Amino acid sequence: MTHDTTLELDPRVPMLRLTRDFDASPADVFRAWADPDLVVRWLGPVDRTMEVERYDCVSGGAYRYVHVRGDDRQWFHGSFHDVRPGELIVQTFTWEGMPDSVALETARFHDLGDGRTRLVTTSLTDSFEGRDAFVASGMEAGVRDSFAKLDALLAG
Amino acid sequence: MAADPLSRAFAALSDPTRRDLVARLAEGDANVTDLAEHYDVSLQAVSKHVRVLEDAGLVSRTRDAQRRPVHLEAQVLDLMTAWIERYRREAQARYTRLDAVLDDLATTQTAPRTTPSRRRAGGTR
């Protein structure tokens, strides 16, 4: 069975929150998050491959990876601020196309018992515009067009 | 209130009464007096909520009509919904791939335990 993913956009601060249950223990969900060989299998967009330059998922560690589609290479990097295995990851996130914009991200692995985990991730950006661009990033041209159209409608 | 239009729209929809007003207006235009009948708050409070929705571009009010019915700008709402839904679906696709990774993990973890027991049960290898 596929569990549903919920998305909340916080109205007070530029944060977005994703919640999703998994039929696996917190230790396993954490491992899929912390082991670069496993991360490359799920983190990237579906139409891109992911290559990891470094991925050291420990407190004080860092990561850098690239999403590849043909000649297009989009690099991302950040620091792992706090890592508590099976429990919590606090990290920064930067798309190198916008190097001055840094998001603060958390992933919390809540034990639901019976080998199930509720994963709650948050991304806090430094502005509402930053968050909205974050949500719009990686979208196909058609969606970005409708985003611009929405801006125009709302501005009108 | 947040400066950019999109955030203004999200902020406007963050309030449960305003979300309910939007749901009501999806069924058709209504004036503030009619809308206020559905809530345990003053007419002024409902009027203020409508003004927030109006400032956010989510509803409009006819200037010339005497009763000034409130009209939902469904196009704006549809685009917001589509935009958020698209992001949510991408996250969902990512997590479905994570499900598959976790299934593999479960399989490889149980393999070393099941293999010896099968050997014991079989007794021939």
Side-chain angles (χ1 to χ4, degrees):
Chain A
M1 193 194 95
T2 303
H3 298 288
D4 207 22
T5 304
T6 59
L7 166 66
E8 296 161 85
L9 296 175
D10 196 302
R12 295 171 302 274
V13 290
M15 174 184 278
L16 63 89
R17 184 183 296 104
L18 287 165
T19 305
R20 169 67 145 72
D21 291 354
F22 291 89
D23 295 322
S25 67
D28 278 358
V29 181
F30 174 83
R31 197 182 143 199
W33 202 284
D35 179 345
D37 291 338
L38 299 175
V39 169
V40 295
R41 290 169 54 188
W42 66 270
L43 185 63
V46 70
D47 56 347
R48 287 172 181 267
T49 55
M50 179 175 167
E51 295 167 18
V52 170
E53 183 186 85
R54 71 183 288 207
Y55 200 92
D56 192 13
C57 188
V58 295
S59 296
Y63 68 88
R64 186 168 188 248
Y65 57 76
V66 61
H67 289 157
V68 183
R69 182 171 57 194
D71 293 338
D72 183 38
R73 299 172 76 81
Q74 301 291 336
W75 285 91
F76 302 86
H77 73 262
S79 303
F80 290 110
H81 184 77
D82 262 312
V83 177
R84 293 204 294 272
E87 199 181 322
L88 172 75
I89 297 174
V90 180
Q91 65 185 57
T92 58
F93 174 89
T94 292
W95 169 49
E96 295 187 3
M98 245 163 101
D100 293 354
S101 185
V102 184
L104 178 62
E105 304 193 321
T106 66
R108 284 188 169 78
F109 307 84
H110 300 283
D111 192 350
L112 298 178
D114 301 325
R116 292 180 309 126
T117 303
R118 177 160 300 158
L119 175 69
V120 181
T121 67
T122 62
S123 295
L124 179 68
T125 53
D126 52 10
S127 67
F128 282 93
E129 290 88 341
R131 179 190 66 185
D132 298 345
F134 192 86
V135 176
S137 72
M139 290 190 176
E140 297 310 314
V143 178
R144 275 196 294 270
D145 287 349
S146 74
F147 180 44
K149 200 168 141 199
L150 174 57
D151 265 345
L153 275 170
L154 293 171
Chain B
M1 182 164 284
D4 69 301
L6 196 62
S7 300
R8 229 167 22 236
F10 282 125
L13 288 176
S14 66
D15 179 88
T17 304
R18 289 198 287 273
R19 277 202 298 273
D20 198 71
L21 283 166
V22 165
R24 270 177 212 290
L25 289 166
E27 292 165 18
D29 295 0
N31 64 39
V32 174
T33 316
D34 293 339
L35 289 169
E37 284 173 12
H38 300 284
Y39 306 97
D40 288 333
V41 294
S42 68
L43 184 67
Q44 286 79 2
V46 172
S47 183
K48 200 174 166 186
H49 281 308
V50 169
R51 202 152 54 238
V52 173
L53 291 171
E54 197 178 0
D55 288 346
L58 289 162
V59 304
S60 60
R61 298 173 77 177
T62 316
R63 297 281 160 213
D64 48 11
Q66 205 163 28
R67 292 170 75 239
R68 299 193 67 203
V70 184
H71 173 74
L72 180 68
E73 296 294 333
Q75 207 184 353
V76 173
L77 200 65
D78 286 352
L79 277 169
M80 280 179 77
T81 310
W83 184 75
I84 294 166
E85 180 55 20
R86 171 62 186 244
Y87 184 85
R88 195 195 67 79
R89 275 206 300 270
E90 288 198 353
Q92 175 73 352
R94 205 158 58 232
Y95 287 154
T96 304
R97 290 198 296 278
L98 178 50
D99 280 336
V101 170
L102 292 167
D103 278 351
D104 282 358
L105 277 185
T107 311
T108 52
Q109 276 166 3
T110 51
R113 281 199 296 273
T114 53
T115 309
S117 68
R118 233 183 281 130
R119 277 180 190 160
R120 276 194 298 274
T124 53
R125 278 184 285 170

